[in-house]
Amino acid sequence: SQPLSALLMVAPLAQSDIEIEIEGELFSQPYIEITLRMMQQWGAEVSYENMRRFHIPGGQKYRAQNYSIEPDASSASYFWAAAAVTNGRVRVEGIGSEALQGDAAFVDVLAQMGCTVEKSADWIEVRGPEMLDGVDVDMNAISDTVMTLAAIAPFADSPTTISNISHIRHKETDRIHAIVAELRRLGVKVEEREDAVTIHPQGQLQAAQIETYDDHRIAMSFAITGLKAPGVTILDPGCVAKTFPDFWVRLDALCAKAR
């Protein structure tokens, strides 16, 4: 999705029209939708058919403006998950019911698990239940939050299956392998397939040191596991600097009142 977004963004400035046709599967489609909507918000004309063919007239100019940028929904997922797993309440401001980012749909998965989700134009709030329900969910479109769901799945009352995610094997690390390896380190029963994982409930997790594979999302996800299970140690916590340098400070502040 990133090379396609880059090409789409520069295309209006070309001297002539540009046609882009997709061959094969387009992964992370919600990010392309963000790009298209933002291009239009900034004054660029683009037409497309079923996310397979794009037409961008050349000779255009973007319109200067003041623009409010949404908070990162992928990073927000850890705090919504914290509420889900602790029977707590977390409201993330600045991102609401009309969010551009596909990963904001992570809260809809939490709703399937029994969480109460409220959305306004300016915030999304999650309240966790006494016990999470297991889910069977296709997370191809919101794959950056797969690790977040996997980290809280052991605390559900039934198995959770996350499917159609083979492409996350080619991210910062093989994220399916990392999920499976680290959950098993905690004593969780996990079934691994090429494009899916099934995570079984685990009454009490065993203490463990979590390898992060230099992957920020593995570190932040399993930190949420540690809110519920004592004895979880995150190795190489500094790897979160890639996207969320003050994550540990924010997480500590979130938990301060509970302590």
Side-chain angles (χ1 to χ4, degrees):
S1 65
Q2 292 174 351
L4 176 56
S5 286
L7 186 57
L8 285 166
M9 285 189 285
V10 300
L13 307 180
Q15 294 180 355
S16 58
D17 294 3
I18 288 182
E19 295 274 352
I20 303 173
E21 185 173 352
I22 303 299
E23 295 181 354
E25 185 175 359
L26 176 60
F27 292 106
S28 302
Q29 182 172 308
Y31 290 102
I32 301 302
E33 295 171 354
I34 293 174
T35 299
L36 294 169
R37 289 174 65 182
M38 290 188 68
M39 287 172 65
Q40 293 165 346
Q41 288 171 345
W42 288 76
E45 177 185 345
V46 55
S47 59
Y48 52 95
E49 301 173 11
N50 300 320
M51 290 291 172
R52 306 301 302 172
R53 184 187 299 271
F54 303 83
H55 175 79
I56 308 96
Q60 302 187 64
K61 292 184 178 180
Y62 285 109
R63 179 180 63 248
Q65 60 178 301
N66 293 323
Y67 191 88
S68 296
I69 301 173
E70 294 176 1
D72 181 52
S74 305
S75 296
S77 74
Y78 309 115
F79 298 92
W80 288 321
V85 82
T86 62
N87 189 26
R89 180 174 66 90
V90 168
R91 176 180 294 186
V92 177
E93 298 184 342
I95 184 168
S97 54
E98 299 301 317
L100 293 177
Q101 298 167 81
D103 280 359
F106 178 71
V107 298
D108 299 327
V109 177
L110 294 180
Q112 293 178 49
M113 299 182 82
C115 294
T116 300
V117 176
E118 293 187 31
K119 301 179 183 181
S120 81
D122 301 315
W123 49 261
I124 299 176
E125 181 176 292
V126 171
R127 293 196 298 275
E130 291 290 339
M131 173 66 74
L132 293 168
D133 300 324
V135 290
D136 188 336
V137 59
D138 181 330
M139 295 189 74
N140 181 275
I142 56 171
S143 61
D144 275 350
T145 62
V146 166
M147 290 68 60
T148 319
L149 178 58
I152 65 173
F155 307 112
D157 61 5
S158 59
T160 289
T161 296
I162 308 171
S163 60
N164 200 14
I165 54 170
S166 60
H167 62 288
I168 73 171
R169 291 189 182 275
H170 309 287
K171 296 281 190 174
E172 284 83 341
T173 188
D174 178 342
R175 284 177 167 169
I176 292 180
H177 169 75
I179 288 168
V180 171
E182 301 315 305
L183 285 174
R184 286 175 176 168
R185 201 185 302 274
L186 291 163
V188 178
K189 180 183 175 183
V190 189
E191 299 168 30
E192 177 181 0
R193 297 182 291 283
E194 178 59 30
D195 69 342
V197 292
T198 296
I199 302 163
H200 293 266
Q202 180 69 29
Q204 184 172 353
L205 274 61
Q206 61 193 34
Q209 293 185 334
I210 301 299
E211 296 285 351
T212 52
Y213 308 87
D214 197 27
D215 188 334
H216 54 136
R217 301 210 181 280
I218 298 297
M220 292 186 281
S221 296
F222 280 92
I224 305 308
T225 308
L227 297 181
K228 185 78 170 178
V232 174
T233 300
I234 306 297
L235 302 177
D236 187 25
C239 69
V240 302
K242 178 176 181 179
T243 53
F244 205 155
D246 62 345
F247 172 77
W248 303 109
V249 174
R250 300 267 184 164
L251 184 62
D252 184 64
L254 182 73
C255 300
K257 288 184 178 180
R259 290 197 299 270

